[in-house]
Amino acid sequence: MLPLVVLMLSLSAVLPAPTVDFQLDEHWNLWKSWHNKKYHEREEGWRRMVWEKNLKKIELHNLEQSMGKHSYRLGMNHFGDMTHEEFRQIVNGYKHKADRKVAGSLFLEPSFMVAPRSLDWRDKGYVTPVKDQGGCGSCWAFSATGAMEGQLYRMTGRLVSLSEQNLVDCSRPEGNEGCSGGWMDRAFQYVLDNGGLDSESSYPYMGVDMPCHYDPRYSVISLAGYADVLSGSEASLMEAVGSVGPVSVAIDAGHTSFQFYQSGIYSEQDCSSLDLDHGVLVVGYGTAQSLLSDANYWIVKNSWGSSWGDNGYIYMSKDNNNNCGIATAASYPLI
């Protein structure tokens, strides 16, 4: 074994280092400028190679999409210089465990109502603009505030942006872990225990763990509880979204296809319905008609800024065996 190791080391010493495609220089510089990327001299070569590798994956996927192999397209975005391992560590903060529940009641489908065939709560004023969690694993907080913002609007007619930083800093007693991850149910439980949650304007997002400084003078919402949707049932999730408003969900976002999603209906065959790592918000659903078939989709608000995906949103495959676990851990607050 030792001679083989020596040989490999010898070869690595004489073989040329990986090179970049100089024809992409202008594209690389434009991408860096657009996303305000700056690197140490020793780091830039490595980041350039990662970027080029990701670009080739995107181009191959889109070529296959043009041939009918995929239902969605990918695009280069601000995650382009990250390996997939780095991406997962930084942005996926939903901590899926069997004990995620605290004391949520079970959503009961209303017998007096039939959910509409399509619905978009954005059109009805329930949804704030897309936000950006940055490098903090606080997706759970953004999902939770999105659901609470929708319910606050439903009850009062006022759309108020709520403070994710308040949840990041203050909900550790309920079991959340700040920028290291958390649960939407436990965010709701914090607001229930605390008696309120501050507005975004009074408690702005910093994207780092900080001491709690909740101020009841700026609280704009209180909760009476929260409800969990029947796990795994897309039909129940549709009833909840259709009758209540935007609903917090957890998904498996741990794939390169999700990292660079741009448009179309996202369906990932390698997705898990149980291994969930990212909290997002379902704000509606619909059906896309094509010459070949009709495809149902969920309208999902993400928290990676409006430059990601379809203006910050992703359209995820609906009624497709709970693809990516979208109906596995859905919940919403009660006011």
Side-chain angles (χ1 to χ4, degrees):
M1 183 63 69
L2 183 59
L4 178 59
V5 173
V6 173
L7 176 62
M8 292 175 65
L9 291 173
S10 300
L11 287 173
S12 65
V14 298
L15 288 175
T19 57
V20 298
D21 183 350
F22 294 108
Q23 296 183 53
L24 294 174
D25 281 355
E26 184 177 355
H27 296 288
W28 168 245
N29 290 328
L30 283 172
W31 179 84
K32 287 192 300 178
S33 176
W34 181 257
H35 295 291
N36 195 29
K37 298 282 186 173
K38 294 179 173 61
Y39 308 102
H40 188 278
E41 182 179 354
R42 295 179 181 178
E43 182 188 13
E44 178 153 358
W46 160 250
R47 291 299 168 190
R48 169 71 178 266
M49 285 186 289
V50 172
W51 178 84
E52 286 192 16
K53 183 178 179 181
N54 286 329
L55 183 63
K56 290 177 181 177
K57 289 180 182 178
I58 292 167
E59 291 175 341
L60 176 59
H61 174 97
N62 290 342
L63 176 61
E64 294 175 344
Q65 189 272 340
S66 68
M67 300 168 64
K69 189 173 179 180
H70 305 290
S71 57
Y72 59 97
R73 291 181 62 80
L74 304 183
M76 179 56 71
N77 56 35
H78 56 293
F79 297 128
D81 60 349
M82 289 186 184
T83 66
H84 191 57
E85 292 73 20
E86 289 175 317
F87 167 78
R88 291 192 66 175
Q89 290 176 1
I90 289 176
V91 300
N92 293 338
Y94 178 77
K95 305 181 82 65
H96 183 60
K97 293 180 181 178
D99 62 348
R100 74 174 180 91
K101 295 180 182 292
V102 184
S105 58
L106 181 65
F107 165 72
L108 299 177
E109 299 175 15
S111 58
F112 57 88
M113 175 191 165
V114 177
R117 295 188 62 182
S118 63
L119 179 66
D120 189 341
W121 288 112
R122 294 175 297 182
D123 297 337
K124 301 180 184 299
Y126 278 57
V127 185
T128 58
V130 171
K131 304 177 185 182
D132 191 347
Q133 69 187 74
C136 171
S138 53
C139 58
W140 56 274
F142 285 84
S143 174
T145 57
M148 288 187 283
E149 288 162 354
Q151 290 307 294
L152 182 62
Y153 181 84
R154 180 173 180 239
M155 296 299 293
T156 68
R158 296 185 302 122
L159 184 62
V160 180
S161 184
L162 299 176
S163 175
E164 294 80 22
Q165 194 67 45
N166 189 168
L167 294 174
V168 168
D169 295 342
C170 306
S171 65
R172 288 180 182 272
E174 283 70 28
N176 287 324
E177 300 175 16
C179 284
S180 297
W183 294 259
M184 286 78 81
D185 275 7
R186 293 183 179 181
F188 300 146
Q189 184 67 46
Y190 162 75
V191 180
L192 185 63
D193 293 342
N194 189 56
L197 183 73
D198 285 348
S199 66
E200 185 89 52
S201 60
S202 65
Y203 200 149
Y205 185 69
M206 305 302 291
V208 294
D209 292 315
M210 300 174 63
C212 177
H213 57 274
Y214 165 77
D215 189 333
R217 293 178 298 170
Y218 303 111
S219 175
V220 292
I221 188 173
S222 58
L223 299 185
Y226 50 93
D228 295 323
V229 179
L230 181 63
S231 181
S233 172
E234 290 190 75
S236 294
L237 178 57
M238 178 176 170
E239 292 287 345
V241 174
S243 61
V244 173
V247 172
S248 291
V249 298
I251 57 173
D252 173 13
H255 304 274
T256 300
S257 57
F258 199 95
Q259 181 178 352
F260 294 111
Y261 168 84
Q262 184 177 68
S263 62
I265 300 177
Y266 182 77
S267 177
E268 173 58 68
Q269 64 179 3
D270 293 329
C271 257
S272 170
S273 61
L274 297 175
D275 186 14
L276 313 180
D277 56 12
H278 189 48
V280 289
L281 185 73
V282 173
V283 302
Y285 53 84
T287 300
Q289 297 181 340
S290 69
L291 294 176
L292 298 178
S293 63
D294 293 342
N296 297 332
Y297 59 83
W298 298 105
I299 307 170
V300 178
K301 182 186 182 184
N302 201 358
S303 54
W304 295 344
S306 59
S307 64
W308 177 88
D310 194 330
N311 296 310
Y313 285 82
I314 181 170
Y315 297 84
M316 299 187 66
S317 181
K318 179 175 176 286
D319 305 320
N320 183 20
N321 298 314
N322 191 24
N323 191 243
C324 296
I326 195 163
T328 298
S331 60
Y332 63 91
L334 303 172
I335 296 182

